[in-house]
């Protein structure tokens, strides 16, 4: 295994951030879909570090337009970039955005639950396995008529949004819901080794797809956001801190010498995946700032992950080896054969976030 690449200078990192930021502004967003959370958070963070108001104006325009007619709501509105939306509402003091965010929160809390978690899918996004592995008969039946279910990605959507909006508006009920949702995701999907499975299906025992790399990123950043938004003495805090540190130390043990992770973190045959290192560099930095990890252990891993994700970014600022929208499958091979080579918010956003979040620690 090769050693971690050399970390570029701050000047070089900021030049790269400009390229990554411009790519984020050019993404074909739809309100809303998976990846928008890291996309818009990356936009806001890039603008802040680059001291360029263009980024905030872009995000504000999107959110303000959405707030002018947020309804009718649909299931995928759970993927709205809630943390970024609350930040924009805070900065602009725009009542229309706050009113629409309260409507969105009410809609999201009207969904049914399984295992204590608001249902994401009425019919889970199961697809035939990438790589073509034949399904056992029971799994083929689920694919033909998918039950509802929820994926780990959504730990980055609902809990941070509820806690951020609750903090902004003084609604303790929303903070409580957000913490409860974070706890439910931890209980449902985190394994004994600290790593999260990808999804569960309603009415089907167990959880599925262990070790998907980017999924660990969604989980870690979601938990970091919740911790940032709740008080230090909140009774639900310790459980989230413990789950976060367990995940972080497990991921450090699985980190390659070159700072990266395999697409499925324990499967070398799954190959390269660019986004996981960006997620981890960001999450490790946030955990250090929150004071919940041993900086002497986590900071070197953060620097290696940052160097790795930068090295995977080409001269145009595009992160390489980013896998497609994974959807879901009951077969591990699906995650090992996911197509890659996409310029998407869940790739470009984490690069921007990693550069920005680590800046004050370097």
């Amino acid at each position: 295994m090769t050693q971690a690449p050399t970390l570029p200078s701050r000047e070089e990192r900021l030049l790269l951030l400009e390229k990554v930021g411009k790519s984020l502004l050019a993404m074909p967003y739809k309100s809303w879909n998976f990846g928008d959370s890291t996309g818009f958070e990356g936009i806001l963070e890039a603008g802040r570090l680059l001291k360029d108001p263009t980024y905030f104006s872009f995000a504000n325009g999107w959110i303000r337009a959405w707030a002018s007619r947020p309804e009718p709501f649909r299931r995928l509105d759970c993927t709205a970039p809630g943390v970024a939306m609350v930040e924009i509402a805070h900065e602009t003091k725009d009542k229309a955005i706050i009113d629409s965010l309260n409507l969105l929160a009410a809609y999201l809390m009207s969904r049914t639950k399984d295992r204590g978690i608001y249902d994401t899918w009425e019919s889970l996004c199961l697809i035939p396995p990438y790589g073509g592995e034949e399904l056992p008969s029971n799994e083929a039946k689920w694919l033909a008529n998918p039950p509802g279910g929820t994926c780990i990605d959504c730990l980055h959507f609902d809990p941070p949004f509820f806690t951020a909006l609750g903090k902004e508006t003084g609604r303790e009920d929303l903070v409580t819901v957000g913490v409860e949702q974070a706890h439910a995701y931890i209980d449902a999907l985190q394994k004994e080794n600290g790593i999260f499975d990808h999804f569960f299906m309603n009415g089907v025992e167990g959880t599925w797809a262990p070790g998907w790399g980017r999924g660990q990123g969604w989980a870690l950043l979601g938990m970091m956001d919740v911790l940032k938004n709740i008080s230090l003495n909140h009774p639900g805090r310790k459980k989230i801190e413990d789950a976060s540190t367990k995940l972080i130390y497990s991921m450090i043990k699985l980190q390659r010498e070159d700072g990266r992770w395999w697409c499925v973190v324990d499967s070398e045959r799954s190959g390269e995946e660019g986004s996981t290192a960006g997620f981890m560099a960001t999450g490790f930095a946030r955990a250090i700032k929150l004071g919940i990890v041993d900086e002497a252990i986590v900071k070197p891993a953060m620097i290696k992950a940052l160097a790795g994700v930068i090295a995977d970014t080409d001269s145009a600022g595009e992160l390489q080896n980013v896998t497609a929208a994974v959807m879901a499958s009951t077969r591990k091979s699906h995650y090992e054969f996911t197509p890659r080579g996409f310029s998407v918010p869940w790739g470009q956003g984490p690069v921007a976030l990693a550069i920005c979040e680590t800046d004050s620690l370097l």
Side-chain angles (χ1 to χ4, degrees), residues 227-243:
L227 290 174
K228 182 180 178 181
N229 287 321
I230 64 176
S231 63
L232 292 174
N233 61 357
H234 193 288
R237 187 177 186 91
K238 186 177 187 304
K239 180 175 181 132
I240 302 170
E241 287 185 352
D242 289 347

Side-chain angles (χ1 to χ4, degrees), residues 30-104:
K30 297 177 181 178
S31 51
W32 299 108
N33 213 327
F34 285 84
D36 290 348
S37 56
T38 48
F40 277 84
E41 288 169 30
I43 286 168
L44 291 176
E45 290 294 328
R48 188 177 294 117
L49 189 58
L50 294 171
K51 297 181 172 59
D52 184 345
T54 304
Y55 291 89
F56 185 89
S57 296
F58 175 91
N60 183 38
W62 257 96
I63 306 311
R64 189 60 179 81
W66 166 82
S68 70
R69 201 174 79 180
E71 298 175 288
F73 292 116
R74 61 191 183 117
R75 277 302 176 109
L76 277 178
D77 284 334
C78 70
T79 65
V83 169
M85 297 162 106
V86 172
E87 180 181 331
I88 287 165
H90 175 82
E91 293 295 327
T92 60
K93 304 292 187 284
D94 191 325
K95 184 176 181 297
I97 296 177
I98 287 290
D99 289 346
S100 290
L101 291 176
N102 279 320
L103 287 174
L104 175 60

Side-chain angles (χ1 to χ4, degrees), residues 70-341:
E71 298 175 288
F73 292 116
R74 61 191 183 117
R75 277 302 176 109
L76 277 178
D77 284 334
C78 70
T79 65
V83 169
M85 297 162 106
V86 172
E87 180 181 331
I88 287 165
H90 175 82
E91 293 295 327
T92 60
K93 304 292 187 284
D94 191 325
K95 184 176 181 297
I97 296 177
I98 287 290
D99 289 346
S100 290
L101 291 176
N102 279 320
L103 287 174
L104 175 60
Y107 164 73
L108 294 175
M109 290 189 292
S110 74
R111 295 170 296 168
T112 54
K113 289 181 183 177
D114 186 2
R115 306 181 207 196
I117 298 172
Y118 290 116
D119 292 324
T120 304
W121 300 97
E122 292 174 293
S123 178
L124 189 72
C125 55
L126 289 175
I127 62 174
Y130 291 125
E133 182 179 351
E134 190 171 339
L135 294 174
S137 59
N138 61 326
E139 296 176 27
K141 288 177 183 175
W142 294 328
L143 176 61
N145 187 23
T150 291
C151 301
I152 190 59
D153 317 43
C154 303
L155 177 46
H156 193 246
F157 308 150
D158 284 352
F161 170 55
F162 288 134
T163 53
L165 184 60
K167 180 181 178 182
E168 177 65 24
T169 59
R171 286 186 57 186
E172 197 58 42
D173 62 315
L174 289 179
V175 174
T176 298
V177 168
V179 172
E180 288 174 349
Q181 287 297 294
H183 285 187
Y185 276 98
I186 292 164
D187 290 340
L189 290 167
Q190 190 172 34
K191 311 310 284 185
E192 197 55 43
N193 63 0
I195 302 298
F196 283 79
D197 282 358
H198 183 204
F199 67 94
F200 63 80
M201 293 180 280
N202 297 350
V204 177
E205 189 176 346
T207 57
W208 303 84
W212 173 46
R214 190 161 61 242
Q216 312 315 310
W218 290 123
L220 180 56
L221 296 197
M223 292 188 290
M224 292 298 98
D225 282 340
V226 172
L227 290 174
K228 182 180 178 181
N229 287 321
I230 64 176
S231 63
L232 292 174
N233 61 357
H234 193 288
R237 187 177 186 91
K238 186 177 187 304
K239 180 175 181 132
I240 302 170
E241 287 185 352
D242 289 347
S244 301
T245 55
K246 197 173 182 181
L247 173 59
I248 288 168
Y249 290 126
S250 292
M251 287 297 285
I252 290 173
K253 287 178 184 175
L254 290 161
Q255 188 177 25
R256 294 164 17 186
E257 282 303 311
D258 64 4
R260 304 165 174 92
W261 285 262
W262 299 118
C263 183
V264 177
V265 293
D266 62 349
S267 171
E268 184 171 346
R269 84 165 186 160
S270 68
E272 301 296 328
E273 206 294 312
S275 68
T276 303
F279 274 97
M280 288 300 135
T282 305
F284 291 178
R286 291 177 178 174
I288 291 168
K289 293 175 186 178
L290 287 169
I292 65 171
V293 290
D294 184 342
E295 184 171 347
I297 295 173
V298 178
K299 187 173 179 180
M302 176 201 83
I303 292 171
K304 282 168 60 176
L306 178 62
V309 77
I310 289 174
D312 274 347
T313 308
D314 69 15
S315 59
E318 297 287 346
L319 181 61
Q320 305 301 292
N321 298 317
V322 179
T323 48
V326 175
M327 311 306 277
S329 174
T330 48
R331 296 282 97 191
K332 183 174 183 176
S333 66
H334 170 83
Y335 298 83
E336 295 174 326
F337 286 99
T338 306
R340 63 206 73 204

